[in-house]
Amino acid sequence: MKFGIIDIFIIISIVSIAIAFILVLRTKSKGQLRFAFFSLLVLIFIWTASIMLYEYLGYLNIFLANALYNLTFIGVAFSPIAIIFIAIIFTRGSIKLNLFYYLLFVIPVITNVLVWTNNFHSLFYSRFSQNSVEIKFGSYFIVHSYYSYLCIVQ
């Protein structure tokens, strides 16, 4: 097995996330900001670990490759929501969850459902390939992308 640039990035990501986990867990504060930041770390870990496993094990069979790639979207879709919560809690001190905050989760949930069921409707990918140049995105991908970037820039 060759050691390439992707391996270096994966190792750096894992070490960075591990250090961040340790720092967050050692923090004395048990407030909402700590929980929101920890949630973001868990989502980034899911995202990174899924990509790492996809890169190393995805060649074994197509079902495993699809499952690992789809698993990345738990992190991809929910990370912008965690970023919003971090920003809101940081500026306000704390929040009380209400309907508005729960509605923020609708698009990420729909994204994950559509990614996992894409073979039936092709709304997220009209053509999927392990070669990223050959991927053709479906109509819902635009909704997911706009929503994610809108959440991050807020």
Side-chain angles (χ1 to χ4, degrees):
M1 178 187 281
K2 288 180 12 180
F3 189 76
I5 192 76
I6 188 109
D7 300 309
I8 294 169
F9 286 127
I10 288 171
I11 291 169
I12 290 170
S13 296
I14 290 171
V15 169
S16 300
I17 291 169
I19 290 169
F21 270 124
I22 291 167
L23 291 175
V24 167
L25 292 175
R26 293 185 73 202
T27 304
K28 302 267 188 244
S29 170
K30 302 290 184 200
Q32 288 180 337
L33 186 59
R34 178 180 182 246
F35 180 76
F37 186 71
F38 188 73
S39 299
L40 180 61
L41 286 177
V42 168
L43 291 167
I44 291 172
F45 176 77
I46 291 169
W47 187 350
T48 306
S50 300
I51 288 177
M52 180 184 71
L53 291 171
Y54 173 78
E55 288 294 325
Y56 288 108
L57 302 175
Y59 68 90
L60 293 177
N61 76 34
I62 193 69
F63 178 76
L64 179 63
N66 285 339
L68 289 171
Y69 195 79
N70 292 347
L71 193 60
T72 64
F73 279 91
I74 293 172
V76 169
F78 287 100
S79 291
I81 304 303
I83 291 170
I84 279 185
F85 277 112
I86 289 170
I88 292 171
I89 293 167
F90 185 77
T91 56
R92 294 186 184 168
S94 68
I95 59 172
K96 188 174 186 177
L97 292 178
N98 58 31
L99 180 62
F100 170 75
Y101 294 119
Y102 289 115
L103 289 176
L104 290 173
F105 290 94
V106 170
I107 297 294
V109 168
I110 292 171
T111 297
N112 274 281
V113 168
L114 292 179
V115 165
W116 284 91
T117 61
N118 191 65
N119 292 339
F120 302 111
H121 48 69
S122 300
L123 288 172
F124 203 83
Y125 297 110
S126 57
R127 181 167 185 264
F128 181 78
S129 173
Q130 288 186 326
N131 182 356
S132 61
V133 177
E134 297 173 0
I135 294 175
K136 302 287 186 234
F137 297 103
S139 57
Y140 181 78
F141 182 81
I142 296 167
V143 173
H144 158 73
S145 297
Y146 279 127
Y147 183 76
S148 295
Y149 285 111
L150 184 66
C151 288
I152 291 170
V153 298
Q154 289 295 330

